[in-house]
Amino acid sequence: MPQDLSEALKEATKEVHTLAENAEFMKNFQKGEVTREGFKLIMASLYHIYVALEEEIEHNKENAVYAPLYFPEELHRRGALEQDMAFWYGSRWQEAIPYTQATRRYVQRLQEVGRAEPELLVAHTYTRYLGDLSGGQVLKKIAQKALDLPSSGEGLAFFTFPNVVSATKFKQLYRSRMNTLEMNPERHVSFVLKLFEELQGLLTQDAKDQSPLRAPDLRRRAGSRAQDSAPTAASRRKPQLSILSQVPLTRWLLMFSFLVATVAVGLYTM
């Protein structure tokens, strides 16, 4: 196994990258087969995830096990996601956005790590932020075209990093900082692989119990129906996809597949 933590993570997740790249969801997404309602659900879950992640980062910003990777101005996404929530859900977005049980479980796991094993925040932030800077940029362009979003970037602030002048150079800096941490690469590799397993487990569990179908906050969005009913280029080409997008469970499975794929594709392309 490579000695550098960043290289160890990259090497150990080759298989995850290949699986994500060849997943049916990713192939469909790359064709522009995405609906507004499905994408809104993706963005709402990202909001909850990043709020929790960045709260734990703030708690540990002076902790030696994480401090070298503290880049709030360059990386933190909460402010950008708040802009996106206002775009997708309106001025009262805090009352309207869904918060599914699986997302809650993911958030709880982030909180546990931040409080009990803060050194493992490194694996979470590495896979998420650098994934967003890499694979996320590809997915942004696809979503913008498929959903006919404004060229100004409205609704996609999450994918924009105005304080990162060069993504390539910043990722090099991030990896070099990470490699200075005195950590056992094997522990972090096993943790990242466990993270992917947990994400897949959430998919399996929700497919079994269909919890999104029972989540009241998924049905509390009547005010946004007019916007969501507007046909996009992708929905006109694939009418059957619009029908599927109305099924909460299907939307949730697509959303979490997006989270896994963004992390996996981004991780390996860094």
Side-chain angles (χ1 to χ4, degrees):
M1 177 175 291
Q3 293 301 308
D4 287 346
L5 178 56
S6 62
E7 287 300 314
L9 288 172
K10 182 175 179 179
E11 182 69 23
T13 52
K14 277 185 177 180
E15 184 177 352
V16 176
H17 164 76
T18 301
L19 290 173
E21 190 176 49
N22 292 286
E24 183 178 357
F25 166 78
M26 278 301 294
K27 291 179 179 178
N28 290 338
F29 195 95
Q30 289 169 359
K31 296 175 185 175
E33 296 177 1
V34 57
T35 64
R36 295 182 77 90
E37 187 66 16
F39 196 74
K40 283 174 61 176
L41 185 57
I42 289 170
M43 301 306 288
S45 285
L46 285 172
Y47 169 77
H48 293 301
I49 290 167
Y50 276 90
V51 166
L53 177 61
E54 289 166 7
E55 284 178 352
E56 297 310 317
I57 289 174
E58 289 299 319
H59 293 158
N60 290 281
K61 64 183 180 181
E62 297 180 356
N63 191 322
V65 301
Y66 185 81
L69 300 180
Y70 184 62
F71 290 100
E73 296 299 320
E74 292 86 354
L75 294 179
H76 284 196
R77 300 286 84 203
R78 180 171 182 169
L81 281 163
E82 288 176 349
Q83 294 178 41
D84 290 336
M85 292 302 95
F87 176 86
W88 291 109
Y89 291 96
S91 59
R92 301 183 68 178
W93 60 268
Q94 290 177 309
E95 301 172 15
I97 61 173
Y99 195 0
T100 67
Q101 289 301 312
T103 303
R104 290 179 191 273
R105 290 193 290 271
Y106 192 177
V107 164
Q108 289 169 0
R109 178 56 177 154
L110 287 171
Q111 294 168 340
E112 291 169 3
V113 166
R115 295 164 191 175
E117 300 178 283
E119 66 276 12
L120 294 182
L121 281 175
V122 174
H124 273 288
T125 56
Y126 173 77
T127 52
R128 278 254 48 103
Y129 288 125
L130 269 67
D132 297 329
L133 276 170
S134 303
Q137 300 307 298
V138 176
L139 300 178
K140 170 190 174 181
K141 293 178 182 177
I142 294 172
Q144 190 169 38
K145 181 178 180 180
L147 300 177
D148 195 23
L149 295 174
S151 58
S152 58
E154 290 179 89
L156 297 169
F158 167 75
F159 297 100
T160 303
F161 293 79
N163 294 321
V164 176
V165 178
S166 168
T168 299
K169 290 181 178 180
F170 182 82
K171 286 183 285 187
Q172 291 173 346
L173 170 64
Y174 194 95
R175 287 197 298 269
S176 67
R177 290 276 191 94
M178 188 167 70
N179 291 335
T180 65
L181 297 172
E182 295 183 4
M183 298 181 179
N184 182 349
E186 291 188 10
R187 186 179 185 213
H188 282 269
V189 166
S190 64
F191 180 77
V192 170
L193 294 177
K194 182 180 179 182
L195 169 61
F196 285 117
E197 290 175 0
E198 288 177 350
L199 290 175
Q200 293 292 354
L202 293 178
L203 276 173
T204 302
Q205 182 169 343
D206 269 36
K208 182 178 179 180
D209 61 25
Q210 298 190 14
S211 59
L213 290 172
R214 297 196 299 269
D217 31 13
L218 279 179
R219 295 192 293 270
R220 225 176 34 222
R221 299 185 307 229
S224 64
R225 287 177 186 167
Q227 180 184 16
D228 295 334
S229 63
T232 65
S235 63
R236 287 193 295 269
R237 290 195 306 270
K238 299 285 186 179
Q240 71 276 20
L241 198 69
S242 296
I243 296 173
L244 287 176
S245 72
Q246 301 309 307
V247 182
L249 176 60
T250 301
R251 293 202 308 269
W252 171 240
L253 294 176
L254 291 176
M255 185 281 296
F256 237 82
S257 296
F258 182 96
L259 296 183
V260 175
T262 305
V263 170
V265 173
L267 181 73
Y268 195 66
T269 56
M270 290 183 287

